[in-house]
Structures are given as C-alpha cells and as structure tokens.
C-alpha cells in the first residue's frame, strides 16, 4: 500500500468516526443556533413578573443596570413612580415591579454553548468542536482522488460556499 493510500484511508477513518462522535453535538449546536436567530423576539419565551426592592433614587441608567434591563427607558414619571415599558419603579421606596421574558431552562443552557467565554468550561467543548469542524473541512479533500469528476465538482461547490458566505457577510 502506498503512503498516499495510507494517509487517504486514515483521513477517511478519522473523518467517519469523528463524524459519528460529533453528530449529537452538531444536532444541539444546530438547534440552538436556529433558536438564537430569534433571540430578539418573544419566540419560545415565557413571561415572568418580578417584584423586588432595590436602592431608592436611582437614575435611569442605574435602574436599568440594577434590574438587568439593557434597553430601559423611562416613559413618564408621576410623583415618585417611574413608568417604563416593562413596569414601574418607586424612587422613594425602591419598590420595582416589572416583567421580563426568558426562554425555558434547557434552551437557555443550549444557547449558552454559542456564548461561552474563555473562563467557562464550555470553552473547551467549543474549541474542540471548532477544531473538529475545521478537520472535516480539510479531510473532505482526502475523500476523493483529485483527478476524479466528483472531486472537481466538489471544488466548484466549495468555491460556491465560500462566495455565498462572503456575499452574506457583506449584505
């Protein structure tokens, strides 16, 4: 067996079993990625009413930070009560009554896969997954001999995928 054939077979074997191993991970990433597209809507979100007491006399910016509402904007003020889209805040007593929306627990956990940072244990899974996907890209070119029609057509599809991605990036 020639060296070329051995490396080709090795790439095929690794590609095959790594693909089977990553099938479940890819399914979760794909599903959570699709759901993340709708993160700025109320799709799959549940509404929750929150009543709590926070520091009194907060300004609009500090109130938003304290309540974890990024886009908090006061609509009107009546006496000591500040009204905003999500609810109310009493400047004198610090009483806040507002509504938030969140996705179900399992979907939140799945979406966290995409948002993991370097200090998060999922960071290592993301690195492994990214490197594995890159391996799939490279090992694909060992699946067929470069002189075959399938390989040549595959190169056109590869080029089309790159061009489509670049077009979508700049739209």
């Amino acid at each position: 067996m020639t060296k070329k054939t051995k490396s080709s077979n090795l790439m095929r074997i690794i590609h095959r079993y790594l693909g089977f191993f990553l099938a479940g991970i890819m399914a979760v990433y794909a599903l959570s990625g699709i759901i993340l597209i709708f993160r700025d809507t109320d799709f799959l979100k549940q509404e929750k009413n929150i009543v709590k007491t926070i520091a009194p006399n907060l300004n609009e910016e500090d109130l938003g930070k304290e309540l974890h509402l990024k886009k908090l904007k006061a609509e009107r003020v009546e006496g000591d009560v500040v009204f905003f889209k999500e609810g109310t805040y009493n400047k004198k007593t610090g009483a806040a009554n507002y509504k938030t929306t969140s996705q179900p627990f399992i979907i939140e956990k799945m979406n966290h896969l995409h948002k993991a940072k370097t200090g998060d244990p999922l960071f290592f899974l993301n690195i492994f997954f990214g490197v594995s996907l890159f391996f799939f890209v490279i090992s694909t070119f060992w699946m067929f001999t470069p002189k075959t029609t399938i390989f040549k057509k595959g190169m056109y599809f590869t080029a089309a995928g790159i061009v489509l991605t670049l077009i979508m990036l700049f739209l």
Side-chain angles (χ1 to χ4, degrees):
M1 201 182 264
T2 67
K3 188 173 183 166
K4 172 77 172 145
T5 308
K6 281 185 179 183
S7 67
S8 231
N9 283 339
L10 180 63
M11 286 300 237
R12 287 172 180 240
I13 290 167
I14 294 171
H15 186 101
R16 177 185 336 140
Y17 291 114
L18 186 59
F20 283 127
F21 177 73
L22 293 176
I25 298 171
M26 285 187 271
V28 172
Y29 267 90
L31 183 59
S32 65
I34 291 166
I35 291 170
L36 271 174
I37 293 168
F38 300 99
R39 68 183 165 267
D40 60 344
T41 69
D42 287 334
F43 179 64
L44 296 178
K45 291 186 179 174
Q46 302 165 338
E47 194 172 275
K48 187 184 340 179
N49 192 45
I50 299 173
V51 178
K52 67 180 182 178
T53 303
I54 57 175
N57 298 316
L58 294 176
N59 64 31
E60 192 174 308
E61 184 180 331
D62 291 336
L63 179 60
K65 287 179 184 176
E66 187 70 27
L67 300 179
H68 304 288
L69 298 172
K70 293 178 185 173
K71 298 178 182 179
L72 186 134
K73 184 176 181 182
E75 294 175 347
R76 70 182 192 280
V77 178
E78 291 180 10
D80 291 330
V81 180
V82 178
F83 291 84
F84 50 96
K85 181 181 174 186
E86 296 84 357
T88 61
Y89 165 68
N90 187 313
K91 281 186 150 189
K92 189 172 188 177
T93 64
N97 185 348
Y98 61 102
K99 293 181 181 183
T100 64
T101 57
S102 62
Q103 293 175 324
F105 178 76
I106 189 72
I107 292 174
E108 285 285 336
K109 289 297 185 185
M110 286 170 43
N111 289 342
H112 187 65
L113 285 172
H114 292 274
K115 299 177 183 179
K117 296 178 182 167
T118 54
D120 194 321
L122 285 172
F123 163 78
F124 297 104
L125 178 64
N126 285 346
I127 294 294
F128 171 73
F129 187 60
V131 169
S132 297
L133 289 179
F134 192 68
F135 170 79
F136 280 173
V137 169
I138 302 303
S139 66
T140 296
F141 299 104
W142 269 270
M143 295 295 141
F144 302 96
T145 307
K147 294 178 182 170
T148 63
T149 305
I150 292 173
F151 185 85
K152 290 175 185 172
K153 284 182 183 177
M155 294 307 292
Y156 290 122
F157 278 91
T158 300
I162 292 169
V163 169
L164 175 64
T165 302
L166 291 173
I167 289 171
M168 297 303 290
L169 280 174
F170 295 105
L171 281 184

